[in-house]
Amino acid sequence: MIQTPFYLIDKAKLLRNMEIIDRLRAGSGAKALLALKCFATWSAFDMMRDHMDGTTSSSLFELRLGKEKFGKETHAYSVAWADHEIEEAVGYADKIIFNSIGQLERFDNHSAGIQRGLRLNPRFSTSGFDLADPARPFSRLGEWDPVKIMAVIDRISGFMIHYNCENRDFDLFDQQLGRIEAEFAPLLEKVKWVSLGGGIHFTGEGYPVDDLAARLNAFSEKFGVQVYLEPGEAAITNSTSLEVTVLDLLNNGKDLAIVDSSIEAHMLDLLIYREKAKLPHEGEHEYQICGKSCLAGDIFGDARFEKPLSVGDRISVADAAGYTMVKKNWFNGVGMPSIAIKELDGTIRLVREFGYEDYASSLS
């Protein structure tokens, strides 16, 4: 048994997502780039590489990781490139996407040798969280004025348009893409490729994948562009669990179980977006599952079990791949979860452990 806590990546479940990506690529002609901002655990890339066209990044380090560990096509995006980063970034990238016209002009000479793109902000999105809404008032994420963009159109070959956030509604996607077609047609007609970003939940149960494929193909043919998608959550949804162990039980008006993990340290998005972890919900025995950090709100959520919990029992927190391993931290010095992979034959392989030296070396 591997010492908890650890993230367990199940390749059989991951393969299910990859097969849907294959189906979408075949039906649409679109290319799929893994969004490393969501999932960058490169020990799983050996499987994903056969089903995806490359990676997209949000920083120099992600870009380098994609180039070295995934290979294939690399898209380099950053909200703002620094002077000391740009030459290295261009060396790793197949395409570099600038967030602003100012950055495009600033690094014109540095980037002239590769394909360049610009982030286009349509000024609407599907995000229900102001924190994550790229179309929020005064958004810094991309350019939106067609007149200004047209003035530099000869310097770019494509656009990145990221406006979806866990969008499960195909009709909404279709409607909003129609708005983009109508409002930005003169720009789209002048480029060779368009990335529609991530946030389309096409690997969710019941999603009309073939309808999405047909819609993307129609968009591609209408403007004569290569379409890219940047799946993050869609690539790894429901593939991974966070395995934890019960350390203590108490009742302060409610049965509580304290486990050897922490949402603040290991599943930070639960805290940021005030969501609950995906926990077991079968049985009559209800417990609030609590993290071990000193943060009062370090709560995974409520769970139900068929029998009362005991110290030493293990609990699986489902759907724990996205925005976890890329965000984990050393708050309270809580032990960092190991990373393990469940192979297609059912064997479990420990690929990385973290200890005190990792904690100490992350400081000074």
Side-chain angles (χ1 to χ4, degrees), residues 139-353:
S139 174
R140 74 197 195 283
L141 300 175
E143 298 279 2
W144 58 266
D145 187 334
V147 175
K148 291 182 178 178
I149 297 171
M150 189 65 78
V152 296
I153 198 73
D154 61 327
R155 302 189 194 186
I156 64 174
S157 61
F159 290 110
M160 188 267 276
I161 315 172
H162 179 52
Y163 61 100
N164 288 283
C165 181
E166 293 193 27
N167 183 6
R168 296 170 171 83
D169 186 340
F170 170 73
D171 290 336
L172 177 59
F173 173 82
D174 180 30
Q175 173 193 340
Q176 292 191 334
L177 186 57
R179 286 183 61 183
I180 290 171
E181 289 174 324
E183 295 177 21
F184 298 102
L187 295 172
L188 299 173
E189 290 167 353
K190 292 185 176 296
V191 295
K192 298 178 180 178
W193 55 271
V194 175
S195 171
L196 295 174
I200 308 168
H201 199 61
F202 60 85
T203 52
E205 291 294 334
Y207 191 94
V209 176
D210 295 332
D211 291 343
L212 176 61
R215 185 66 178 92
L216 294 174
N217 184 258
F219 177 85
S220 174
E221 291 187 352
K222 180 175 183 178
F223 296 103
V225 294
Q226 172 64 60
V227 173
Y228 288 89
L229 296 179
E230 301 178 4
E233 286 277 7
I236 46 77
T237 188
N238 292 320
S239 68
T240 299
S241 60
L242 175 61
E243 302 295 313
V244 300
T245 296
V246 177
L247 300 180
D248 195 15
L249 299 164
L250 63 156
N251 185 300
N252 285 333
K254 188 173 189 177
D255 286 326
L256 311 177
I258 300 173
V259 300
D260 57 354
S261 181
S262 160
I263 65 168
E264 168 84 353
H266 306 151
M267 297 191 76
L268 187 58
D269 268 15
L270 296 181
L271 189 65
I272 293 174
Y273 297 110
R274 299 193 178 275
E275 297 178 344
K276 300 301 182 183
K278 295 181 180 179
L279 294 162
H281 283 283
E282 295 183 2
E284 301 178 357
H285 303 279
E286 184 173 353
Y287 293 82
Q288 184 175 89
I289 308 303
C290 309
K292 68 174 292 183
S293 82
C294 67
L295 181 70
D298 192 354
I299 307 296
F300 284 84
D302 293 334
R304 303 184 71 90
F305 302 90
E306 293 182 353
K307 62 181 182 179
L309 289 178
S310 300
V311 171
D313 284 349
R314 198 166 94 176
I315 300 171
S316 293
V317 182
D319 201 11
Y323 298 98
T324 55
M325 287 170 272
V326 295
K327 286 191 174 186
K328 64 188 187 299
N329 61 71
W330 288 106
F331 179 65
N332 269 197
V334 175
M336 191 75 74
S338 301
I339 299 173
I341 290 180
K342 186 176 182 180
E343 301 288 354
L344 293 176
D345 65 3
T347 60
I348 295 177
R349 175 169 58 95
L350 180 64
V351 296
R352 181 66 196 272
E353 291 182 284

